[in-house]
PDB file of all heavy atoms in Angstrom:
ATOM      1  N   TYR A 334     -39.254  39.836   1.912  1.00  0.00           N
ATOM      2  CA  TYR A 334     -39.717  40.369   0.617  1.00  0.00           C
ATOM      3  C   TYR A 334     -40.188  41.798   0.837  1.00  0.00           C
ATOM      4  O   TYR A 334     -41.041  42.075   1.688  1.00  0.00           O
ATOM      5  CB  TYR A 334     -40.899  39.486   0.087  1.00  0.00           C
ATOM      6  CG  TYR A 334     -40.539  38.050  -0.093  1.00  0.00           C
ATOM      7  CD1 TYR A 334     -40.506  37.170   0.991  1.00  0.00           C
ATOM      8  CD2 TYR A 334     -40.198  37.538  -1.348  1.00  0.00           C
ATOM      9  CE1 TYR A 334     -40.150  35.792   0.823  1.00  0.00           C
ATOM     10  CE2 TYR A 334     -39.828  36.209  -1.542  1.00  0.00           C
ATOM     11  CZ  TYR A 334     -39.813  35.346  -0.467  1.00  0.00           C
ATOM     12  OH  TYR A 334     -39.489  34.058  -0.641  1.00  0.00           O
ATOM     13  N   LEU A 365     -65.763  29.751  20.211  1.00  0.00           N
ATOM     14  CA  LEU A 365     -66.899  29.471  19.347  1.00  0.00           C
ATOM     15  C   LEU A 365     -66.499  29.380  17.880  1.00  0.00           C
ATOM     16  O   LEU A 365     -67.337  29.638  17.006  1.00  0.00           O
ATOM     17  CB  LEU A 365     -67.988  30.539  19.551  1.00  0.00           C
ATOM     18  CG  LEU A 365     -68.510  30.636  20.972  1.00  0.00           C
ATOM     19  CD1 LEU A 365     -69.593  31.746  21.023  1.00  0.00           C
ATOM     20  CD2 LEU A 365     -69.111  29.295  21.426  1.00  0.00           C
ATOM     21  N   ILE A 370     -68.377  33.495  13.855  1.00  0.00           N
ATOM     22  CA  ILE A 370     -68.833  34.863  14.208  1.00  0.00           C
ATOM     23  C   ILE A 370     -68.547  35.788  13.029  1.00  0.00           C
ATOM     24  O   ILE A 370     -69.413  36.557  12.622  1.00  0.00           O
ATOM     25  CB  ILE A 370     -68.099  35.384  15.467  1.00  0.00           C
ATOM     26  CG1 ILE A 370     -68.485  34.529  16.683  1.00  0.00           C
ATOM     27  CG2 ILE A 370     -68.372  36.818  15.696  1.00  0.00           C
ATOM     28  CD1 ILE A 370     -69.871  34.836  17.224  1.00  0.00           C
ATOM     29  N   LEU A 462     -48.152  55.672  16.051  1.00  0.00           N
ATOM     30  CA  LEU A 462     -49.034  55.581  14.922  1.00  0.00           C
ATOM     31  C   LEU A 462     -48.534  54.583  13.902  1.00  0.00           C
ATOM     32  O   LEU A 462     -49.283  53.777  13.336  1.00  0.00           O
ATOM     33  CB  LEU A 462     -49.203  56.959  14.269  1.00  0.00           C
ATOM     34  CG  LEU A 462     -49.795  58.100  15.099  1.00  0.00           C
ATOM     35  CD1 LEU A 462     -49.824  59.431  14.359  1.00  0.00           C
ATOM     36  CD2 LEU A 462     -51.233  57.714  15.539  1.00  0.00           C
ATOM     37  N   ILE A 516     -45.068  41.138   8.987  1.00  0.00           N
ATOM     38  CA  ILE A 516     -44.621  42.393   8.391  1.00  0.00           C
ATOM     39  C   ILE A 516     -43.857  43.191   9.455  1.00  0.00           C
ATOM     40  O   ILE A 516     -44.301  43.314  10.576  1.00  0.00           O
ATOM     41  CB  ILE A 516     -45.830  43.246   7.880  1.00  0.00           C
ATOM     42  CG1 ILE A 516     -46.456  42.525   6.657  1.00  0.00           C
ATOM     43  CG2 ILE A 516     -45.399  44.604   7.479  1.00  0.00           C
ATOM     44  CD1 ILE A 516     -47.624  43.209   6.050  1.00  0.00           C
ATOM     45  N   SER A 539     -59.666  10.518  19.311  1.00  0.00           N
ATOM     46  CA  SER A 539     -60.166   9.914  20.564  1.00  0.00           C
ATOM     47  C   SER A 539     -59.261  10.209  21.730  1.00  0.00           C
ATOM     48  O   SER A 539     -58.038   9.906  21.698  1.00  0.00           O
ATOM     49  CB  SER A 539     -60.283   8.388  20.376  1.00  0.00           C
ATOM     50  OG  SER A 539     -60.362   7.728  21.622  1.00  0.00           O
ATOM     51  N   ILE A 570     -50.876   9.986  35.627  1.00  0.00           N
ATOM     52  CA  ILE A 570     -51.830  11.148  35.797  1.00  0.00           C
ATOM     53  C   ILE A 570     -51.044  12.464  35.796  1.00  0.00           C
ATOM     54  O   ILE A 570     -51.479  13.445  35.194  1.00  0.00           O
ATOM     55  CB  ILE A 570     -52.635  10.981  37.109  1.00  0.00           C
ATOM     56  CG1 ILE A 570     -53.692   9.887  36.902  1.00  0.00           C
ATOM     57  CG2 ILE A 570     -53.315  12.295  37.466  1.00  0.00           C
ATOM     58  CD1 ILE A 570     -54.744  10.226  35.900  1.00  0.00           C
ATOM     59  N   SER A 612     -84.766  15.382  40.926  1.00  0.00           N
ATOM     60  CA  SER A 612     -85.446  15.471  39.662  1.00  0.00           C
ATOM     61  C   SER A 612     -84.598  14.941  38.520  1.00  0.00           C
ATOM     62  O   SER A 612     -85.040  14.803  37.386  1.00  0.00           O
ATOM     63  CB  SER A 612     -85.842  16.900  39.355  1.00  0.00           C
ATOM     64  OG  SER A 612     -84.659  17.695  39.148  1.00  0.00           O
ATOM     65  N   PRO A 617     -78.384  21.795  41.172  1.00  0.00           N
ATOM     66  CA  PRO A 617     -79.436  22.741  41.180  1.00  0.00           C
ATOM     67  C   PRO A 617     -79.296  23.794  40.084  1.00  0.00           C
ATOM     68  O   PRO A 617     -78.197  24.336  39.910  1.00  0.00           O
ATOM     69  CB  PRO A 617     -79.392  23.371  42.570  1.00  0.00           C
ATOM     70  CG  PRO A 617     -78.696  22.361  43.419  1.00  0.00           C
ATOM     71  CD  PRO A 617     -77.728  21.648  42.476  1.00  0.00           C
ATOM     72  N   GLN A 643     -80.681  16.245  47.594  1.00  0.00           N
ATOM     73  CA  GLN A 643     -79.595  15.752  46.788  1.00  0.00           C
ATOM     74  C   GLN A 643     -79.464  14.223  46.887  1.00  0.00           C
ATOM     75  O   GLN A 643     -79.859  13.614  47.881  1.00  0.00           O
ATOM     76  CB  GLN A 643     -78.287  16.386  47.275  1.00  0.00           C
ATOM     77  CG  GLN A 643     -78.253  17.885  47.169  1.00  0.00           C
ATOM     78  CD  GLN A 643     -78.197  18.402  45.762  1.00  0.00           C
ATOM     79  OE1 GLN A 643     -77.215  18.091  45.061  1.00  0.00           O
ATOM     80  NE2 GLN A 643     -79.204  19.111  45.339  1.00  0.00           N
ATOM     81  N   GLU A 712     -32.916  23.912   0.026  1.00  0.00           N
ATOM     82  CA  GLU A 712     -34.248  23.334   0.151  1.00  0.00           C
ATOM     83  C   GLU A 712     -35.145  24.235   0.919  1.00  0.00           C
ATOM     84  O   GLU A 712     -36.331  24.431   0.569  1.00  0.00           O
ATOM     85  CB  GLU A 712     -34.162  21.946   0.843  1.00  0.00           C
ATOM     86  CG  GLU A 712     -35.505  21.250   0.929  1.00  0.00           C
ATOM     87  CD  GLU A 712     -35.433  19.943   1.661  1.00  0.00           C
ATOM     88  OE1 GLU A 712     -34.320  19.562   2.146  1.00  0.00           O
ATOM     89  OE2 GLU A 712     -36.473  19.232   1.777  1.00  0.00           O
ATOM     90  N   PHE A 796     -28.252   2.608  37.645  1.00  0.00           N
ATOM     91  CA  PHE A 796     -29.705   2.265  37.672  1.00  0.00           C
ATOM     92  C   PHE A 796     -30.023   1.492  36.388  1.00  0.00           C
ATOM     93  O   PHE A 796     -30.714   1.931  35.485  1.00  0.00           O
ATOM     94  CB  PHE A 796     -30.548   3.540  37.739  1.00  0.00           C
ATOM     95  CG  PHE A 796     -30.411   4.283  39.040  1.00  0.00           C
ATOM     96  CD1 PHE A 796     -29.560   5.379  39.107  1.00  0.00           C
ATOM     97  CD2 PHE A 796     -31.129   3.875  40.150  1.00  0.00           C
ATOM     98  CE1 PHE A 796     -29.453   6.074  40.308  1.00  0.00           C
ATOM     99  CE2 PHE A 796     -30.987   4.604  41.352  1.00  0.00           C
ATOM    100  CZ  PHE A 796     -30.157   5.650  41.437  1.00  0.00           C
ATOM    101  N   LYS A 917     -17.314  18.091  30.932  1.00  0.00           N
ATOM    102  CA  LYS A 917     -18.358  18.466  31.859  1.00  0.00           C
ATOM    103  C   LYS A 917     -17.864  18.218  33.299  1.00  0.00           C
ATOM    104  O   LYS A 917     -18.103  19.045  34.197  1.00  0.00           O
ATOM    105  CB  LYS A 917     -19.626  17.670  31.597  1.00  0.00           C
ATOM    106  CG  LYS A 917     -20.237  17.879  30.195  1.00  0.00           C
ATOM    107  CD  LYS A 917     -21.496  17.068  30.023  1.00  0.00           C
ATOM    108  CE  LYS A 917     -22.080  17.257  28.621  1.00  0.00           C
ATOM    109  NZ  LYS A 917     -23.313  16.429  28.419  1.00  0.00           N
ATOM    110  N   MET A 993     -29.143  40.478  43.164  1.00  0.00           N
ATOM    111  CA  MET A 993     -28.309  39.434  42.557  1.00  0.00           C
ATOM    112  C   MET A 993     -26.979  40.015  42.070  1.00  0.00           C
ATOM    113  O   MET A 993     -25.903  39.408  42.304  1.00  0.00           O
ATOM    114  CB  MET A 993     -29.018  38.763  41.404  1.00  0.00           C
ATOM    115  CG  MET A 993     -30.216  37.886  41.845  1.00  0.00           C
ATOM    116  SD  MET A 993     -30.882  36.850  40.520  1.00  0.00           S
ATOM    117  CE  MET A 993     -31.858  38.033  39.651  1.00  0.00           C
ATOM    118  N   THR A1092     -28.612  34.734  15.490  1.00  0.00           N
ATOM    119  CA  THR A1092     -29.155  35.374  16.711  1.00  0.00           C
ATOM    120  C   THR A1092     -29.137  36.905  16.524  1.00  0.00           C
ATOM    121  O   THR A1092     -28.158  37.460  16.024  1.00  0.00           O
ATOM    122  CB  THR A1092     -28.318  34.959  17.915  1.00  0.00           C
ATOM    123  OG1 THR A1092     -28.374  33.554  18.041  1.00  0.00           O
ATOM    124  CG2 THR A1092     -28.861  35.576  19.198  1.00  0.00           C
ATOM    125  N   PRO A1130     -22.369  32.527  25.430  1.00  0.00           N
ATOM    126  CA  PRO A1130     -22.467  31.607  26.571  1.00  0.00           C
ATOM    127  C   PRO A1130     -22.974  32.218  27.879  1.00  0.00           C
ATOM    128  O   PRO A1130     -23.708  31.494  28.608  1.00  0.00           O
ATOM    129  CB  PRO A1130     -21.035  31.107  26.736  1.00  0.00           C
ATOM    130  CG  PRO A1130     -20.532  31.044  25.309  1.00  0.00           C
ATOM    131  CD  PRO A1130     -21.090  32.321  24.715  1.00  0.00           C
ATOM    132  N   GLY A1151     -45.725  20.365  38.224  1.00  0.00           N
ATOM    133  CA  GLY A1151     -45.771  21.771  38.543  1.00  0.00           C
ATOM    134  C   GLY A1151     -45.767  22.061  40.022  1.00  0.00           C
ATOM    135  O   GLY A1151     -45.648  23.222  40.456  1.00  0.00           O
ATOM    136  N   ALA A1152     -45.834  21.055  40.895  1.00  0.00           N
ATOM    137  CA  ALA A1152     -45.856  21.294  42.343  1.00  0.00           C
ATOM    138  C   ALA A1152     -44.444  21.587  42.829  1.00  0.00           C
ATOM    139  O   ALA A1152     -43.467  21.105  42.296  1.00  0.00           O
ATOM    140  CB  ALA A1152     -46.439  20.075  43.038  1.00  0.00           C
ATOM    141  N   VAL A1176     -19.267  24.652  46.011  1.00  0.00           N
ATOM    142  CA  VAL A1176     -19.992  24.182  44.839  1.00  0.00           C
ATOM    143  C   VAL A1176     -19.567  25.048  43.643  1.00  0.00           C
ATOM    144  O   VAL A1176     -19.510  26.237  43.722  1.00  0.00           O
ATOM    145  CB  VAL A1176     -21.543  24.334  45.097  1.00  0.00           C
ATOM    146  CG1 VAL A1176     -22.317  23.913  43.820  1.00  0.00           C
ATOM    147  CG2 VAL A1176     -21.938  23.457  46.271  1.00  0.00           C
TER     148      VAL A1176
END
Side-chain angles (χ1 to χ4, degrees):
Y334 301 81
L365 300 181
I370 294 285
L462 298 177
I516 291 180
S539 162
I570 286 293
S612 68
Q643 301 289 299
E712 183 182 2
F796 292 99
K917 299 179 182 181
M993 289 191 281
T1092 301
V1176 177

